[in-house]
Amino acid sequence: MGLPCMQCNESFSTRHTFESAVYDEGVYYFCGIECMEMWMSANAQEIEREKQQ
């Protein structure tokens, strides 16, 4: 069973190292730090707006 990366949508095994980010609306999983950083930079403004509401 694999989890889909939020950035590249590739499935990866939880047996390998992966990254996760937790926000009020849920937990997001990424296949690596590079995908997590790209997703965070693309979604940072939206996340900040949701935190302020």
Side-chain angles (χ1 to χ4, degrees):
M1 182 182 124
L3 293 172
C5 176
M6 288 298 295
Q7 176 63 31
C8 69
N9 211 25
E10 293 289 323
S11 291
F12 59 92
S13 172
T14 56
R15 293 181 181 173
H16 300 288
T17 302
F18 63 94
E19 300 295 324
S20 63
V22 179
Y23 293 102
D24 291 339
E25 63 275 356
V27 178
Y28 300 96
Y29 297 101
F30 305 92
C31 61
I33 190 76
E34 297 86 10
C35 277
M36 185 176 81
E37 288 175 349
M38 284 190 293
W39 186 87
M40 294 289 285
S41 66
N43 292 288
Q45 291 177 350
E46 183 178 328
I47 291 168
E48 284 301 316
R49 269 186 269 143
E50 288 176 5
K51 283 183 181 179
Q52 292 175 356
Q53 291 179 356

